Amino acid sequence: MSWWIALVFFLPAGVANATPVVANKIPLLNKWQTPLDFGISLRGKRLLGKNKSWRGLLTGSVFAGVTALLLSPIVHYSDNWLATFGVGFVLGFGALFGDALESIIKRQHGIEAGHSWFPFDQIDYIIGGLLFVAPFSDLTWQLMALIMVAFFGLHLVFAYIAFKLGLKSKPI
């Protein structure tokens, strides 16, 4: 796999990571606010916080699957459309799982929801996406490192753009 194909291959994870912020602005979807942790606390602290929802996990994963389908003429995810959607879904789910896991750690360290924890907030989805998709891909360690660096930078750029567009309350 070439380096640029590897970057395009991982794009569904980036889409999944951005989708919850956008889904929260869609009138019908933003009413679905069921927290991913159902309000459960650990050691007196909220497990994930109110910003992690089932809406975000499911819309992000589905949009990642659709993104993989759209990219399939460029990236060969699989031989059929359902498996292609599945690889994208797994990339997105892994990215959002990584983000949720990092949120648990943040809460337990007393970092409030919405507050930045640089650089972990920028790499959690990358690590999660790579770990979940590893069994379904032929990414080398070198390509994974390239994806880490490239998507870390892309995350910073797109977070700033989302801030300027009023989709996020903080630039990082």
Side-chain angles (χ1 to χ4, degrees):
M1 182 182 297
S2 71
W3 66 269
W4 73 274
I5 292 291
L7 294 177
V8 175
F9 173 88
F10 197 73
L11 194 56
V15 168
N17 192 53
T19 298
V21 174
V22 175
N24 190 39
K25 303 295 182 186
I26 298 172
L28 291 175
L29 283 177
N30 69 3
K31 300 205 183 325
W32 182 24
Q33 298 179 6
T34 307
L36 202 52
D37 65 7
F38 296 108
I40 296 170
S41 294
L42 176 66
R43 299 184 322 165
K45 298 173 185 167
R46 184 76 181 268
L47 194 60
L48 290 170
K50 64 181 174 123
N51 294 331
K52 303 296 179 218
S53 70
W54 285 98
R55 173 194 63 231
L57 179 66
L58 293 177
T59 58
S61 299
V62 168
F63 274 54
V66 170
T67 301
L69 288 172
L70 294 173
L71 294 173
S72 65
I74 300 168
V75 179
H76 180 74
Y77 290 97
S78 178
D79 290 332
N80 67 65
W81 72 269
L82 188 56
T84 296
F85 178 86
V87 171
F89 188 93
V90 166
L91 266 167
F93 185 86
L96 296 169
F97 181 87
D99 182 58
L101 184 60
E102 183 258 351
S103 288
I104 293 170
I105 297 166
K106 276 175 70 171
R107 297 299 90 72
Q108 293 305 304
H109 280 89
I111 301 167
E112 295 296 321
H115 286 78
S116 181
W117 194 28
F118 187 85
F120 304 107
D121 283 330
Q122 290 72 33
I123 62 170
D124 54 4
Y125 80 100
I126 304 168
I127 293 169
L130 287 171
L131 287 174
F132 272 68
V133 82
F136 309 103
S137 73
D138 59 352
L139 292 172
T140 65
W141 286 106
Q142 295 88 350
L143 291 175
M144 287 185 191
L146 172 68
I147 288 169
M148 284 286 295
V149 171
F151 277 84
F152 175 80
L154 286 170
H155 181 88
L156 295 176
V157 169
F158 281 100
Y160 185 73
I161 291 169
F163 168 71
K164 285 302 212 178
L165 292 173
L167 296 172
K168 292 182 67 172
S169 60
K170 296 180 182 177
I172 293 182

